[in-house]
Amino acid sequence: MKIPEHPTLNREWDKKEIKKKTDKMLEEIGELQYKMYAQGKYSIIVLLQGIDASGKDGVAKGILKFCNPVGTEVYSFKKPTDLEYAHDFLWRVHNVCPAKGIMKVFIRSHYEDILVPSVEKYIPADIIEKRYETINTFEKMLEDHGTKVLKFFLNVSKETQEERLMERIEMEEKHWKHKDGDWDTREKFDQYLKVYQKILTRCNDVPWHVVPADKNWQKLYTVAEVVLKTLKELDLEWPALVTERFGK
Amino acid sequence: MKIPEHPTLNREWDKKEIKKKTDKMLEEIGELQYKMYAQGKYSIIVLLQGIDASGKDGVAKGILKFCNPVGTEVYSFKKPTDLEYAHDFLWRVHNVCPAKGIMKVFIRSHYEDILVPSVEKYIPADIIEKRYETINTFEKMLEDHGTKVLKFFLNVSKETQEERLMERIEMEEKHWKHKDGDWDTREKFDQYLKVYQKILTRCNDVPWHVVPADKNWQKLYTVAEVVLKTLKELDLEWPALVTERFGK
């Protein structure tokens, strides 16, 4: 089973060249992000989804490398708390959406509320079914408000996932990332991919970007390209001087 | 009027040398911050106070340069909202204190709730008076919980402040930072310093660090030194592997 990948995958990949290009793009992202923050007109969500060990944290670190931390945020969605569970599934998501000016990385998102119950089957299918349309409307509303929602599916292969999960057992500094349960989830790899396929098709009003995730430099390059393009297309401007005290 | 400065000021300052040292320290901070995040036992607040244009945002950016954004946060305290005002002065502060594992930069803090009302006199003196002791108890509680509170007063001179405020009028990319009101506040520079002196004396149970803030490289070096020393003194360890599935 295979999810069709981002067109960049078909290009020639020269690792050294790509890394150099990526660094240049990240610097540009940093400059434009600060301008977006100063202007306070738009916000961006960099939404990262992917199977365990697809490298979401690494993308967050990479994309924000040259950004100003005053205008950026990262939020990791975990297993919902009791309080969150007592609300509709978008409540906790809405609560952490970025204010105008902010670029925010979502590590996981509302898509977990389709993925996990679809595979684990603890919510009736007809309720899950409604969430696709609810999400489309929600994301559309955010976009109408000036929040660009950039959605990335980090497409890691089953083989690479195994290597990375094994590292967590073998390397002292990665032990803390290990959870036995990730290996149970891994047994359902194809089931998860099947739900992802449905999500990529049915929640594509705000488009998905399928990103090759077996190699970190390919992954970061692809995400950076989309983020930079988005920033460039916004009408970012330094705000004018507002003063009554200092005549022009 | 002059506030006594951090002892580093008395050293020989070689700009090139200091910048190199600072970068090395920042890298070490990044490594240790990630370990602190993995361990999830401690948290750190890097609390930045200083007159307008003392360069708080710049310190945030500098200190976090090599940190992993997944385990770091920045919070800027602004003029309290109506909702915040309807609560005690520590309510909004408590609400954004870092969870275990997180290193968080506070741009301004609860000290604003002594500074501004003391100078502007819109709260009775006896109420402000109580806040000193309340803050001492609050910070002590955070420390007891494993949150290191590192407090920095960015000590900018009146002359440098004027230069920086002028840049906001003169440079297009700094216009957005300009507020006419900052010039009114500037007229009360000495009044603010006087309150700062009182704060530095009476709220020193968790100690203050007075930082030279006229030169950015001196400022960042001094703050980095304290942050790095603090991280080194914590008993940071990579957590052990927790597994029932993979025998040792």
Side-chain angles (χ1 to χ4, degrees):
Chain A
M1 168 154 197
K2 182 95 178 117
I3 292 201
E5 274 174 346
H6 199 274
T8 49
L9 242 204
N10 301 322
R11 295 181 201 163
E12 291 296 319
W13 290 95
D14 174 333
K15 184 171 173 178
K16 211 176 137 189
E17 183 64 23
I18 291 290
K19 283 186 125 173
K20 227 172 75 184
K21 272 190 178 172
T22 304
D23 239 39
K24 210 179 147 286
M25 287 198 292
L26 295 178
E27 279 189 51
E28 276 190 86
I29 287 173
E31 285 163 24
L32 292 173
Q33 169 268 324
Y34 196 57
K35 203 169 180 179
M36 183 178 86
Y37 175 65
Q39 188 183 23
K41 185 172 171 184
Y42 301 102
S43 52
I44 291 181
I45 296 174
V46 177
L47 185 158
L48 305 176
Q49 282 287 159
I51 303 273
D52 294 324
S54 56
K56 300 180 279 293
D57 287 14
V59 173
K61 185 170 184 186
I63 286 296
L64 300 180
K65 185 171 175 187
F66 295 102
C67 289
N68 194 312
V70 177
T72 59
E73 295 170 3
V74 179
Y75 191 85
S76 291
F77 290 88
K78 317 268 185 201
K79 194 172 175 311
T81 63
D82 288 349
L83 178 65
E84 288 168 351
Y85 235 132
H87 293 77
D88 69 84
F89 78 104
L90 287 180
W91 179 76
R92 67 171 185 159
V93 182
H94 217 160
N95 188 42
V96 297
C97 282
K100 280 174 186 289
I102 303 293
M103 180 153 110
K104 186 153 189 169
V105 180
F106 275 8
I107 294 180
R108 298 184 209 84
S109 67
H110 38 281
Y111 288 104
E112 293 295 314
D113 301 290
I114 289 181
L115 286 158
V116 189
S118 292
V119 174
E120 304 296 343
K121 304 195 193 316
Y122 55 83
I123 292 181
D126 60 322
I127 292 190
I128 302 176
E129 201 55 28
K130 285 183 190 157
R131 293 187 174 177
Y132 292 90
E133 219 26 68
T134 307
I135 286 176
N136 282 336
T137 307
F138 176 65
E139 292 178 350
K140 185 73 175 32
M141 177 190 66
L142 295 177
E143 291 258 333
D144 288 344
H145 178 69
T147 302
K148 301 308 261 181
V149 184
L150 308 179
K151 306 190 301 191
F152 300 95
F153 171 59
L154 308 185
N155 200 14
V156 75
S157 69
K158 207 168 170 182
E159 297 70 38
T160 302
Q161 190 206 27
E162 183 171 17
E163 284 169 29
R164 292 189 186 157
L165 290 180
M166 280 309 294
E167 283 178 1
R168 297 179 179 183
I169 297 166
E170 288 158 1
M171 295 167 69
E172 190 198 10
E173 70 272 27
K174 296 197 173 179
H175 284 347
W176 65 284
K177 293 188 174 188
H178 169 80
K179 286 201 297 286
D180 281 352
D182 290 349
W183 291 82
D184 300 322
T185 306
R186 175 174 161 76
E187 286 166 23
K188 299 165 189 162
F189 194 97
D190 284 344
Q191 292 179 58
Y192 273 98
L193 269 203
K194 216 171 144 183
V195 187
Y196 265 116
Q197 268 188 324
K198 198 169 160 187
I199 286 173
L200 294 174
T201 312
R202 291 193 45 195
C203 294
N204 204 39
D205 293 2
V206 173
W208 276 100
H209 305 273
V210 179
V211 176
D214 281 355
K215 293 196 169 58
N216 288 332
W217 53 276
Q218 293 185 351
K219 185 173 55 179
L220 186 55
Y221 175 71
T222 312
V223 176
E225 209 175 29
V226 175
V227 174
L228 181 56
K229 185 169 178 288
T230 305
L231 281 163
K232 279 182 172 171
E233 285 171 2
L234 296 175
D235 54 322
L236 298 181
E237 280 174 16
W238 293 112
L241 185 65
V242 178
T243 182
E244 294 182 0
R245 184 170 186 141
F246 297 89
K248 299 208 179 182
Chain B
M1 169 152 196
K2 182 98 178 115
I3 292 203
E5 274 174 345
H6 198 274
T8 50
L9 242 203
N10 302 323
R11 295 182 201 162
E12 291 296 318
W13 291 94
D14 173 333
K15 184 170 173 179
K16 210 175 138 190
E17 184 64 23
I18 292 291
K19 283 186 125 173
K20 227 171 76 184
K21 272 189 178 174
T22 304
D23 240 39
K24 210 180 146 284
M25 287 199 290
L26 296 178
E27 279 189 51
E28 276 190 87
I29 287 174
E31 285 162 26
L32 292 172
Q33 168 268 324
Y34 196 58
K35 203 168 179 179
M36 182 178 87
Y37 175 66
Q39 188 183 23
K41 184 172 172 183
Y42 301 102
S43 53
I44 291 181
I45 296 175
V46 177
L47 185 158
L48 305 177
Q49 281 288 158
I51 304 272
D52 293 324
S54 55
K56 300 179 279 292
D57 286 15
V59 173
K61 186 171 184 186
I63 286 295
L64 300 180
K65 185 170 176 188
F66 295 102
C67 289
N68 194 313
V70 177
T72 59
E73 295 170 3
V74 179
Y75 191 84
S76 291
F77 290 89
K78 318 268 184 198
K79 193 174 177 308
T81 63
D82 288 349
L83 178 66
E84 288 168 351
Y85 235 131
H87 293 78
D88 69 85
F89 79 104
L90 287 181
W91 180 75
R92 67 173 186 157
V93 182
H94 217 160
N95 188 42
V96 297
C97 282
K100 280 175 187 287
I102 302 294
M103 181 154 108
K104 186 154 190 168
V105 180
F106 275 8
I107 294 180
R108 298 183 208 83
S109 67
H110 38 281
Y111 288 104
E112 293 294 315
D113 301 291
I114 289 181
L115 286 158
V116 189
S118 292
V119 173
E120 304 296 342
K121 304 196 193 317
Y122 55 84
I123 292 180
D126 61 323
I127 292 190
I128 302 176
E129 200 55 27
K130 285 182 191 157
R131 293 187 173 177
Y132 292 90
E133 220 26 69
T134 308
I135 286 176
N136 282 336
T137 308
F138 176 64
E139 292 178 351
K140 185 73 172 32
M141 177 190 65
L142 294 177
E143 292 258 334
D144 287 344
H145 178 70
T147 302
K148 302 307 259 181
V149 184
L150 308 179
K151 306 190 302 193
F152 300 95
F153 171 59
L154 308 185
N155 200 14
V156 74
S157 69
K158 207 168 171 181
E159 297 69 38
T160 303
Q161 191 207 26
E162 183 171 17
E163 284 168 29
R164 292 187 186 158
L165 289 180
M166 280 309 293
E167 282 179 0
R168 297 178 179 183
I169 296 166
E170 289 158 2
M171 295 167 70
E172 190 199 8
E173 70 272 27
K174 295 196 173 179
H175 284 347
W176 65 283
K177 292 187 175 188
H178 169 81
K179 286 200 298 284
D180 280 353
D182 290 349
W183 290 84
D184 300 322
T185 306
R186 176 175 160 74
E187 286 166 23
K188 299 166 190 163
F189 195 97
D190 283 344
Q191 292 179 57
Y192 273 99
L193 269 203
K194 215 170 147 185
V195 187
Y196 265 116
Q197 268 189 324
K198 198 169 162 188
I199 286 173
L200 294 175
T201 311
R202 293 193 43 195
C203 294
N204 205 38
D205 294 1
V206 173
W208 276 100
H209 305 273
V210 180
V211 176
D214 281 354
K215 292 196 168 57
N216 288 332
W217 55 275
Q218 292 186 351
K219 185 173 55 180
L220 186 55
Y221 175 72
T222 311
V223 176
E225 207 174 29
V226 176
V227 174
L228 181 57
K229 184 168 178 287
T230 304
L231 281 164
K232 280 183 172 171
E233 285 171 2
L234 297 175
D235 55 322
L236 300 180
E237 280 174 18
W238 293 112
L241 185 65
V242 178
T243 181
E244 294 183 0
R245 185 168 186 144
F246 297 89
K248 302 211 178 179

